[in-house]
Amino acid sequence: VQLVESGGGSVPSGGSLRLSCAISGLTYSSWCVTWIRQVPRKEREGVAAIDSDGVISYRDSVTGRFTISRDKVNNTVDLQMSALKSEDTARYYCVAGSGVMYYKDGMYHCDWNVMGQGTQVYVSS
């Protein structure tokens, strides 16, 4: 399985970005993808998750601003981010696994075993 993220960049506060996770080689009949983010010297945190049954989960701080979706034609999982804040600045990664979800820190995450290289998002205040 290979995951390749794209779409990061630098935007002013209040702006929007659309991240995309291109997925290849995922052969599980059920699957699950989470967008996570990490800031240096802080723990990674889940942002949004989606599974093959259409179950979607968001962390509270992005609910109403971010939307996760699957593009079946292009085989991507996308993260539309709007009303961005400086605290959204981080490196964003997509991670994928066989479809098991677990609850942690207020949202459902995917049990994962593969991770992309990440894409940097910078939101200026």
Side-chain angles (χ1 to χ4, degrees):
V1 178
Q2 186 176 20
L3 308 176
V4 179
E5 301 93 334
S6 61
S10 181
V11 295
S13 180
S16 298
L17 282 173
R18 186 176 184 88
L19 305 184
S20 186
C21 174
I23 303 170
S24 59
L26 191 61
T27 59
Y28 305 128
S29 57
S30 63
W31 52 266
C32 193
V33 172
T34 308
W35 279 98
I36 64 174
R37 65 188 180 189
Q38 186 164 26
V39 175
R41 296 176 295 280
K42 290 189 176 181
E43 284 191 13
R44 284 192 297 238
E45 59 183 27
V47 177
I50 186 170
D51 76 3
S52 50
D53 291 329
V55 175
I56 289 175
S57 184
Y58 298 99
R59 71 179 299 107
D60 286 346
S61 64
V62 307
T63 298
R65 300 189 298 121
F66 291 12
T67 302
I68 190 170
S69 62
R70 182 191 180 189
D71 183 334
K72 293 183 179 180
V73 173
N74 295 306
N75 211 28
T76 63
V77 170
D78 301 327
L79 185 68
Q80 177 67 46
M81 307 187 295
S82 303
L84 283 161
K85 305 175 181 179
S86 57
E87 51 263 43
D88 294 317
T89 294
R91 190 164 185 85
Y92 285 70
Y93 302 84
C94 60
V95 297
S98 61
V100 176
M101 277 188 160
Y102 62 95
Y103 191 78
K104 177 185 176 184
D105 297 333
M107 67 169 279
Y108 284 93
H109 296 68
C110 301
D111 191 20
W112 59 273
N113 56 14
V114 62
M115 181 185 216
Q117 85 289 349
T119 186
Q120 183 67 41
V121 171
Y122 178 74
V123 184
S124 57
S125 56

